[in-house]
Amino acid sequence: DADVTQTPRNRITKTGKRIMLECSQTKGHDRMYWYRQDPGLGLRLIYYSFDVKDINKGEISDGYSVSRQAQAKFSLSLESAIPNQTALYFCATSLAGNYNEQFFGPGTRLTVL
Amino acid sequence: QQQVKQSPQSLIVQKGGISIINCAYENTAFDYFPWYQQFPGKGPALLIAIRPDVSEKKEGRFTISFNKSAKQFSLHIMDSQPGDSATYFCAASKPGAQKLVFGQGTRLTINP
């Protein structure tokens, strides 16, 4: 089955550490997205990418960076993690012609102590 | 600022009842309004969507009602079942934006 996978699924780290969350997809979609989910705040867009050379900031990109290594891979990095980055992180993909239907991975639960 | 405001934050409904989740928006440029469903431990998945040229869309037990003048839309789940227990997100997008804006989410629990 074509799918969106995220690694790791859970991660506990300490303040100041560098963390990378990875996303891979076998759907053949051009577009990839990173969101974070917080209770009471919903899903907020961090970064999105139309293709390997086209990366765009979302509404909450401060403190994060991304890398689109290939059409199928999109990584999210926290250069120096802080406790308020504790959240559930989702990667999503979509076709170029239909960004309204996004396909989400299973999520990574990140805890920053 | 939250471009799409969703309520309630949590909702408990008895089996067989009607679940209603509401969303409001300010930007009249929005022209697509999807609802996503998220089960525990999973990512959200598209459930149903509507464009503002119609006032209602129904798919099985799920109905979106859309009020363009009030800038509100809602999800109705008829004959709610325990398997409908999930978090529901409304969202919106506008032409050319290339992205969705999500509401705050509603955690729905259907009691047997």
Side-chain angles (χ1 to χ4, degrees):
Chain A
D1 277 348
D3 214 345
V4 183
T5 58
Q6 293 184 234
T7 55
R9 294 294 312 278
N10 289 281
R11 181 72 184 268
I12 300 174
T13 191
K14 295 182 178 180
T15 298
K17 294 292 188 180
R18 184 179 188 273
I19 293 294
M20 179 180 286
L21 309 182
E22 298 186 339
C23 177
S24 296
Q25 53 113 348
T26 57
K27 289 189 167 294
H29 289 171
D30 291 320
R31 299 193 176 186
M32 298 186 75
Y33 311 80
W34 276 105
Y35 291 90
R36 65 176 281 177
Q37 180 179 353
D38 299 276
L41 296 177
L43 291 161
R44 293 181 292 166
L45 185 62
I46 305 172
Y47 272 95
Y48 57 111
S49 171
F50 293 159
D51 61 38
V52 174
K53 296 182 180 180
D54 190 348
I55 294 176
N56 303 275
K57 292 183 178 181
E59 58 185 304
I60 55 163
S61 59
D62 287 350
Y64 301 95
S65 62
V66 291
S67 173
R68 184 87 183 262
Q69 300 96 324
Q71 187 207 33
K73 295 184 181 296
F74 193 34
S75 300
L76 176 71
S77 293
L78 288 67
E79 296 301 326
S80 180
I82 57 176
N84 77 357
Q85 292 177 313
T86 293
L88 189 54
Y89 289 85
F90 287 101
C91 173
T93 71
S94 75
L95 289 168
N98 188 13
Y99 60 87
N100 288 314
E101 183 172 10
Q102 297 182 15
F103 296 83
F104 284 77
T108 294
R109 185 166 295 280
L110 177 65
T111 303
V112 183
L113 301 176
Chain B
Q1 73 283 13
Q2 199 78 33
Q3 296 188 54
V4 180
K5 295 184 179 180
Q6 184 173 345
S7 62
Q9 191 166 347
S10 64
L11 179 63
I12 300 174
V13 175
Q14 293 299 117
K15 179 182 175 181
I18 302 174
S19 304
I20 302 174
I21 305 170
N22 301 298
C23 284
Y25 63 97
E26 288 298 322
N27 192 337
T28 56
F30 287 144
D31 73 341
Y32 182 81
F33 302 90
W35 285 87
Y36 278 73
Q37 180 188 52
Q38 180 187 30
F39 292 110
K42 304 290 186 181
L46 180 63
L47 177 64
I48 187 173
I50 196 169
R51 292 198 180 272
D53 53 344
V54 297
S55 60
E56 186 176 282
K57 183 173 182 180
K58 184 176 181 180
E59 291 185 2
R61 295 183 294 107
F62 298 88
T63 299
I64 301 178
S65 296
F66 186 82
N67 187 330
K68 189 174 183 178
S69 60
K71 294 185 286 187
Q72 296 176 348
F73 58 109
S74 59
L75 177 69
H76 297 238
I77 306 174
M78 312 301 287
D79 186 27
S80 298
Q81 299 297 312
D84 298 329
S85 297
T87 298
Y88 292 82
F89 293 97
C90 63
S93 70
K94 56 186 179 181
Q98 309 295 330
K99 57 187 176 181
L100 289 167
V101 177
F102 285 88
Q104 295 91 328
T106 296
R107 186 169 182 173
L108 174 65
T109 301
I110 307 300
N111 283 336

